[in-house]
Amino acid sequence: MGLLSMLGLSGKPESISEFIEKGAVIVDVRTPGEYQGGHIKGSKNIPLNVLSDKISEIKKWNKPVIACCASGMRSAQGTFILKSNGIEAMNGGGWSSLQSKL
């Protein structure tokens, strides 16, 4: 799997709606303070700096993950971490933009 693919930036991208149909969990990788300032209802806040520590917990969900943040940069990193650990994931980009697509 290439780097662009790991970041969710190449190949045939699955749509957000396809992920939602599969029961995807939205993981917001911003800091708790940023998350408190506004977030997608029902999303889970797992800051990027602790995401690697939560892999076993995330795997137990047995669901795909849509990562989001403020602009899409941290969620790209989060998507890479998730995919590197065998979790089906996509970069949802900025949370407010993602929210408008749900």
Side-chain angles (χ1 to χ4, degrees):
M1 181 178 287
L3 179 59
L4 291 177
S5 172
M6 291 291 285
L7 294 174
L9 300 173
S10 71
K12 178 195 170 285
E14 283 194 83
S15 71
I16 290 166
S17 60
E18 288 173 318
F19 260 60
I20 295 294
E21 286 172 17
K22 293 193 274 186
V25 175
I26 298 171
V27 173
D28 191 318
V29 298
R30 297 177 297 151
T31 65
E34 289 175 293
Y35 185 79
Q36 290 300 320
H39 58 271
I40 295 172
K41 185 177 179 185
S43 64
K44 297 186 182 293
N45 181 218
I46 304 176
L48 183 61
N49 66 324
V50 298
L51 188 63
S52 294
D53 299 334
K54 302 288 186 178
I55 293 298
S56 59
E57 176 185 323
I58 294 168
K59 283 185 173 184
K60 289 177 186 173
W61 301 343
N62 202 26
K63 294 182 179 198
V65 172
I66 300 172
C68 68
C69 63
S71 68
M73 293 301 292
R74 285 176 285 179
S75 56
Q77 293 172 30
T79 299
F80 178 81
I81 291 167
L82 294 166
K83 286 184 172 186
S84 296
N85 284 281
I87 296 168
E88 184 179 6
M90 74 177 296
N91 181 359
W95 77 271
S96 57
S97 172
L98 175 59
Q99 184 170 257
S100 71
K101 297 173 187 169
L102 297 177

